[in-house]
Amino acid sequence: MELPFSESYRIKMVAPIKKSTRQEREAWIKAANYNLFNLKSDQVFIDLLTDSGTGAMSEQQWAELMLGDESYAGASSYYKMKTAIKNILGFDYFLPTHQGRAAENVLFSVLVEAGDIVPGNSHFDTTKGHIEFRKAKAIDCTIDEAFHTELEYPFKGNVDIKKLQKVFDENDASKIKFFIVTITNNTSGGQPVSMENLRAVRKFADEKEVMVVIDSARFAENAYFIKTREKGYENKSIKEIVAEMYTYADAMTMSSKKDAIVNMGGFIAMRDKELFDKASTFNIMFEGYLTYGGMSGRDMNALAQGLDEGTEFDYLETRIKQVEYLGNRLIEFGIPIQKPIGGHAVFIDAKRMLPSIPKEEFPAQTLAIELYLEAGIRGVEIGAILADRDPVTRENRYPDLELVRLAIPRRTYTNNHMDVIAVAVKNVFDRKDQIKKGVKIIKEAPIMRHFTVALERL
Ligand SMILES: *Cc1c(COP(=O)(O)O)cnc(C)c1O
């Protein structure tokens, strides 16, 4: 008999989590104005709000914390990080930053000017924010396959090269200085970009003489999908695949809170000395001196170690199989989810799960509230509340998809927790006919409203 799959680690330290009663949760969510961001973490049993900074560090990472060098300049921790980035990602130059959006802020201070156009597969919200803040335009050139949740396509994160060409045809090409490829493509559901597509983007960029920047938060998960889905890569190691991926990039921004498995941190890496020199000035202004850039020495050590562990196949297999396990349990229960199952999260199609809630009553938010009431599980709405209002007309924007994202923190929960989540979703699904009313906004901020919005049940 074939041995079943199991985790590639054992547990050494645990943190208690608390169950609660439905009555308690009714009161807590009401006091939180039906906004799950307002809940205290101890009011949550299984927290799937994000996989960012919520992973469990290894014993080697904790050991590295003790070895941190907190020197202001030239700390050994900086050199550990530099060596890891050179060995694993291949870049000669890098700048530490406190997290991913800070890396974007520093790099775009050099690269983005008012009136510029930055095309990519799908820009992450902070990436788009930093582009639009500079009065430039971010254009998503996502392949059409990504918009069909039921369609099984192995690389739904890919850039559509024809759409890229269209951006050149319809705009002043001198305003386009670089492309951003986000791997995995967070916005389209943690979907990977193929090596073939990265190669095509590089070729196209060379023809147009523009740079390629890889938004790298989940680069290792992307490499896992290349290994398991793309022809010719099945026998390559994750580190070999990662090394090839970055030969197609001029620079990268990184949120280390994802695939480097640390609680805080980020960086920019690049090939060009001139770009490094220009970005250095902004790094000193916004983040800190060049050899720490907003990070403690101990955190740089843990990050360097995390980059190494995060690019090991056994770790990635455990991680991605857990997300897949949850997705498959939901599919067995007939729950409509986005397919194929992504690398870091499962996305539930709320319009199909709660068909009686009209879009004006925010079906995804309603589902996220119901799931919390059912079992104390905190997911996040990716729907009209997040999509916010049109900046000009101030009308609500209603995206095609109303999703609830269940993001799985790395090395944090067991498959027993996945079973609890799956059954909780099923229980909500079973009583969907009783859920006839959604929510209404009673107070919202002028931008980024989803974090602070106050709601009322209808
Ligand atoms: C998380 C993330 C960012 C921003 O990083 P932070 O560390 O949260 O600031 C940028 N791009 C992608 C794809 C991300 O997932």
Side-chain angles (χ1 to χ4, degrees):
M1 190 172 167
E2 194 186 338
L3 294 174
F5 183 76
S6 71
E7 293 78 2
S8 61
Y9 46 79
R10 55 187 175 180
I11 294 164
K12 188 170 184 178
M13 197 189 285
V14 296
I17 50 175
K18 272 191 238 159
K19 281 189 194 162
S20 52
T21 63
R22 178 154 183 134
Q23 204 180 5
E24 285 173 321
R25 293 192 291 275
E26 297 268 6
W28 291 335
I29 192 73
K30 187 159 187 272
N33 291 318
Y34 296 97
N35 177 342
L36 290 101
F37 284 99
N38 287 337
L39 291 169
K40 294 181 185 156
S41 65
D42 63 4
Q43 295 169 339
V44 175
F45 181 50
I46 301 176
D47 203 346
L48 309 180
L49 187 67
T50 177
D51 64 323
S52 178
T54 52
M57 291 204 297
S58 66
E59 58 182 359
Q60 290 85 353
Q61 285 181 292
W62 281 100
E64 283 295 334
L65 288 186
M66 294 303 294
L67 300 172
D69 176 358
E70 306 303 340
S71 304
Y72 190 96
S76 65
S77 301
Y78 167 81
Y79 288 101
K80 260 189 194 168
M81 202 168 144
K82 188 175 167 67
T83 304
I85 288 170
K86 174 70 185 165
N87 289 347
I88 296 167
L89 306 161
F91 291 99
D92 286 327
Y93 300 100
F94 95 100
L95 290 164
T97 63
H98 78 274
Q99 63 184 90
R101 67 199 68 184
E104 292 164 353
N105 187 33
V106 169
L107 185 66
F108 298 171
S109 294
V110 182
L111 294 182
V112 181
E113 284 170 308
D116 282 359
I117 294 164
V118 187
N121 45 354
S122 319
H123 295 78
F124 182 65
D125 52 11
T126 62
T127 319
K128 190 167 266 176
H130 276 294
I131 292 168
E132 291 176 349
F133 178 73
R134 291 174 170 81
K135 308 241 180 302
K137 209 164 136 190
I139 301 182
D140 289 348
C141 300
T142 321
I143 55 167
D144 290 335
E145 286 85 343
F147 301 107
H148 303 283
T149 55
E150 280 296 323
L151 181 72
E152 292 271 356
Y153 185 80
F155 292 102
K156 277 186 170 177
N158 280 357
V159 185
D160 189 324
I161 306 282
K162 282 199 207 81
K163 289 185 188 170
L164 265 189
Q165 180 61 53
K166 219 169 137 225
V167 175
F168 274 85
D169 294 344
E170 291 174 356
N171 296 283
D172 174 0
S174 72
K175 298 287 178 204
I176 306 168
K177 300 183 195 117
F178 69 106
F179 305 151
I180 296 178
V181 188
T182 306
I183 60 171
T184 56
N185 190 336
N186 191 347
T187 311
S188 80
Q191 299 292 331
V193 176
S194 69
M195 194 74 90
E196 189 186 6
N197 192 246
L198 284 175
R199 217 176 283 131
V201 170
R202 174 78 261 170
K203 188 162 166 273
F204 188 76
D206 286 342
E207 283 164 20
K208 304 287 181 192
E209 297 183 348
V210 300
M211 286 178 31
V212 176
V213 175
I214 297 189
D215 181 352
S216 304
R218 299 181 184 82
F219 75 97
E221 291 170 7
N222 200 87
Y224 174 88
F225 286 120
I226 289 176
K227 181 175 169 72
T228 53
R229 292 182 187 171
E230 192 162 347
K231 214 170 158 290
Y233 290 93
E234 40 297 63
N235 297 321
K236 294 214 189 287
S237 71
I238 296 294
K239 285 190 169 66
E240 284 169 332
I241 293 169
V242 166
E244 181 182 340
M245 279 168 19
Y246 283 101
T247 60
Y248 305 123
D250 298 286
M252 66 181 282
T253 53
M254 176 71 183
S255 169
S256 303
K257 303 170 72 171
K258 281 81 169 224
D259 275 359
I261 333 174
V262 288
N263 304 118
M264 191 53 74
F267 60 89
I268 313 163
M270 64 282 267
R271 255 174 248 299
D272 183 40
K273 172 82 163 62
E274 199 185 316
L275 177 60
F276 170 76
D277 287 340
K278 284 184 185 157
S280 294
T281 310
F282 292 105
N283 215 61
I284 292 172
M285 249 185 346
F286 299 148
E287 293 296 297
Y289 180 65
L290 304 178
T291 61
Y292 72 88
M295 294 187 73
S296 305
R298 53 181 170 270
D299 288 335
M300 290 195 279
N301 273 14
L303 199 167
Q305 175 65 27
L307 276 179
D308 184 34
E309 288 174 21
T311 48
E312 283 298 313
F313 180 78
D314 287 352
Y315 151 72
L316 282 165
E317 187 181 36
T318 300
R319 152 98 181 129
I320 289 172
K321 287 215 159 154
Q322 182 170 53
V323 178
E324 198 178 275
Y325 176 81
L326 173 62
N328 283 332
R329 296 252 26 214
L330 292 174
I331 291 169
E332 277 166 35
F333 288 140
I335 311 291
I337 65 165
Q338 194 173 40
K339 292 173 200 157
I341 299 156
H344 68 289
V346 174
F347 295 74
I348 305 173
D349 188 336
K351 273 195 205 165
R352 287 170 55 214
M353 180 141 163
L354 299 179
S356 44
I357 311 281
K359 66 180 193 303
E360 293 80 9
E361 295 179 14
F362 307 111
Q365 182 66 19
T366 304
L367 177 57
I369 294 165
E370 287 296 334
L371 190 56
Y372 174 71
L373 289 173
E374 180 67 30
I377 295 162
R378 173 158 69 174
V380 72
E381 187 245 25
I382 312 263
I385 295 180
L386 179 72
D388 221 316
R389 288 177 189 275
D390 183 285
V392 180
T393 66
R394 301 306 297 156
E395 290 297 317
N396 275 311
R397 288 191 279 213
Y398 293 105
D400 290 343
L401 294 175
E402 282 277 329
L403 303 170
V404 172
R405 183 183 79 173
L406 305 176
I408 311 301
R410 293 166 182 76
R411 305 192 284 212
T412 302
Y413 293 110
T414 67
N415 283 7
N416 285 330
H417 294 113
M418 299 303 121
D419 287 334
V420 171
I421 299 159
V423 171
V425 176
K426 179 195 187 301
N427 290 348
V428 173
F429 192 47
D430 288 348
R431 58 181 171 78
K432 64 176 183 301
D433 296 332
Q434 286 134 261
I435 306 168
K436 291 202 178 74
K437 288 275 166 205
V439 289
K440 170 177 118 185
I441 294 180
I442 52 173
K443 199 159 168 256
E444 64 182 278
I447 47 166
M448 304 270 249
R449 67 178 179 184
H450 57 290
F451 288 119
T452 53
V453 69
L455 302 160
E456 204 170 69
R457 288 217 83 156
L458 288 161

